[in-house]
Amino acid sequence: MIHRDFCNPEYTKEYSALRMQFNFLLSRYSCRDGFVALSMREMADKLSCSLQSIYKFVRKGLREGSLALHNNRLYLLRRVNHENYTEGYVKHFPFLESESFQKMSLHSQRFVLYALWSGVHTGRHLKRALSDLYHSTKDYEGKLNIYTKKELKAALEGAATFLRLEITTVRGIEKVTVYGLQEEYAHQLALENVGEYEWLDEQLVKLDVEDLVPKAARRDLLKMKSEYINRFAEAGKEMFVQALEKLANSYKLLYKELTKEGEIGRYFRSILDELVEKALPFLQKQLMAAKNALSTTQFLPVKQDTPEASTAEQWASWFRRRVEQLQLAIGWITHKQKQPAVLPGTGQVLPTIDEFPFYNWLEADDAGE
């Protein structure tokens, strides 16, 4: 999915057509934590543009607060929250990356994105006076950064390729109403987010085992990555990477002893479980440190309604969340260690954790469409 801000007319009126495609690319190749699983060169190759253009877009994104750089790798900050869809999103329709869309005028592209930002793909109608969409008076700045009605009507005519729209006149006021997408585009399946797959592929290539882990096994591994990040946050990702390294050095994988369906996933699970048990003392120390930090920030001697008070509350809020995360992680580990493997008297094996169904985190069916 695409974060609504990338379709917001307040932003798109400053975007070039290539910048919009850059944003779409980031949306498809971002991981759950926002990590963009493409290098600058790979982005330039996929967009058939210069590396200089990519660097320019990155600098703009950094200034706008939509991107961040950490250890020389790019992170997307404006992304769809996989746990909370209330902020809204735009379905990543394939036509947005099509040649016909990219060949349209820039104003037409911006209007299509405006319509999607307004939710026309969810059944909502968009109705606006034409005078609201262009700079109709000296003092009024229209939504689309267009200066004449003639240019606006040309843009609407182009946008009609993808949108069902109608221009009417009511009491002398010209209005455009968008009823939805054209039938051939309305039911397109969203483009799949492949950021996690790209990230995992990069890790396997670094470890020289990309040929030994088939696609089905990679899906199993990504299930566990999602699960462990949910439970342990950044520590979960670190454990997952360590487990990958252990898997890559395992004779069972190298000598192709894990050939049956699901065997690689089950073996990888055992590696993760072992790492989790070893991580318990470390997590307990982190919890103690987080509690101490929370106590310190909660009782800092600062005056109310000052910048210092606001900063102190932000730190306290962060440490509070950190304490909650660590308590949940430690509770899960200790519960798992105490849980019997078999229900007494029945022979029924008890699952050590709830099943975590794999899903494409940005394309879930219950995402709130």
Side-chain angles (χ1 to χ4, degrees):
M1 298 297 179
I2 302 169
H3 195 283
R4 284 184 76 227
D5 280 359
F6 288 138
C7 299
N8 187 334
E10 294 300 316
Y11 297 110
T12 58
K13 65 182 179 182
E14 304 294 335
Y15 293 165
S16 66
L18 185 58
R19 174 74 190 280
M20 288 190 278
Q21 293 299 316
F22 172 74
N23 291 335
F24 298 158
L25 185 71
L26 295 181
S27 299
R28 286 192 66 201
Y29 283 87
S30 63
C31 295
R32 289 169 59 96
D33 59 356
F35 176 76
V36 178
L38 291 174
S39 67
M40 304 291 184
R41 169 53 63 187
E42 288 172 328
M43 285 187 270
D45 291 342
K46 287 185 178 295
L47 293 177
S48 301
C49 69
S50 68
L51 194 58
Q52 183 180 3
S53 294
I54 298 299
Y55 282 122
K56 179 178 70 175
F57 297 152
V58 169
R59 288 194 296 270
K60 288 184 176 179
L62 294 173
R63 288 197 299 269
E64 296 167 356
S66 61
L67 297 175
L69 275 173
H70 181 64
N71 292 334
N72 206 33
R73 296 307 298 264
L74 196 63
Y75 285 79
L76 178 63
L77 302 181
R78 285 188 184 138
R79 62 186 187 277
V80 179
N81 188 329
H82 68 283
E83 295 172 346
N84 181 4
Y85 291 88
T86 58
E87 291 184 4
Y89 60 91
V90 172
K91 185 177 177 181
H92 201 146
F93 290 97
F95 75 77
L96 292 173
E97 297 186 16
S98 68
E99 184 179 357
S100 56
F101 180 82
Q102 295 180 53
K103 281 185 174 180
M104 282 198 313
S105 74
L106 182 56
H107 292 317
S108 294
Q109 292 184 39
R110 288 170 176 168
F111 184 76
V112 171
L113 294 184
Y114 176 37
L116 294 175
W117 176 81
S118 301
V120 297
H121 57 300
T122 66
R124 296 178 60 186
H125 293 175
L126 168 65
K127 179 182 284 189
R128 292 300 298 266
L130 297 192
S131 58
D132 290 337
L133 299 175
Y134 72 102
H135 304 328
S136 52
T137 69
K138 181 180 179 180
D139 301 320
Y140 182 78
E141 185 174 315
K143 284 284 186 183
L144 300 179
N145 201 26
I146 296 176
Y147 285 87
T148 67
K149 185 187 292 187
K150 182 178 179 181
E151 289 179 291
L152 173 60
K153 287 192 172 181
L156 296 178
E157 183 179 349
T161 302
F162 299 99
L163 303 174
R164 292 187 293 111
L165 59 83
E166 179 184 25
I167 297 177
T168 57
T169 302
V170 181
R171 293 181 176 272
I173 300 175
E174 285 189 286
K175 295 185 177 184
V176 60
T177 303
V178 182
Y179 299 101
L181 293 169
Q182 295 288 3
E183 190 67 22
E184 60 184 297
Y185 304 110
H187 304 295
Q188 283 186 339
L189 295 177
L191 290 174
E192 183 181 8
N193 180 284
V194 294
E196 292 288 354
Y197 287 104
E198 288 289 322
W199 178 85
L200 180 58
D201 185 63
E202 180 182 350
Q203 305 309 308
L204 296 176
V205 169
K206 287 179 181 178
L207 297 169
D208 298 318
V209 293
E210 69 274 15
D211 296 332
L212 301 178
V213 182
K215 185 175 181 179
R218 296 183 190 200
R219 291 177 67 88
D220 291 339
L221 298 187
L222 287 177
K223 277 195 269 185
M224 285 177 266
K225 182 189 176 192
S226 298
E227 173 190 325
Y228 273 69
I229 288 178
N230 283 343
R231 287 195 172 117
F232 305 110
E234 188 63 26
K237 184 176 180 179
E238 293 173 4
M239 282 189 278
F240 183 86
V241 172
Q242 290 179 39
L244 276 182
E245 293 172 355
K246 286 181 174 289
L247 176 67
N249 292 320
S250 169
Y251 74 91
K252 287 181 177 291
L253 182 70
L254 297 176
Y255 289 95
K256 300 183 179 179
E257 294 185 10
L258 305 172
T259 56
K260 295 181 181 178
E261 184 178 353
E263 276 192 332
I264 291 178
R266 288 190 289 272
Y267 183 63
F268 189 78
R269 169 75 71 184
S270 68
I271 296 174
L272 275 173
D273 286 346
E274 182 182 357
L275 288 174
V276 166
E277 292 178 6
K278 291 180 179 179
L280 183 57
F282 172 71
L283 293 175
Q284 289 171 330
K285 288 181 180 179
Q286 281 196 325
L287 176 60
M288 185 178 297
K291 284 183 175 179
N292 290 335
L294 176 59
S295 297
T296 301
T297 53
Q298 280 180 324
F299 299 106
L300 284 175
V302 294
K303 293 182 179 180
Q304 294 296 321
D305 301 323
T306 64
E308 292 78 10
S310 177
T311 301
E313 177 53 35
Q314 288 176 359
W315 277 109
S317 177
W318 189 89
F319 286 123
R320 198 175 294 114
R321 289 196 303 272
R322 183 63 177 153
V323 167
E324 291 172 356
Q325 289 175 346
L326 289 167
Q327 286 174 332
L328 287 172
I330 291 170
W332 178 79
I333 294 174
T334 54
H335 173 72
K336 179 178 180 296
Q337 290 174 339
K338 295 176 182 178
Q339 191 176 25
V342 178
L343 185 64
T346 66
Q348 179 184 356
V349 177
L350 290 177
T352 56
I353 60 170
D354 295 331
E355 285 297 318
F356 187 90
F358 179 81
Y359 67 102
N360 181 9
W361 62 276
L362 291 183
E363 314 295 347
D365 292 336
D366 59 350
E369 283 192 46

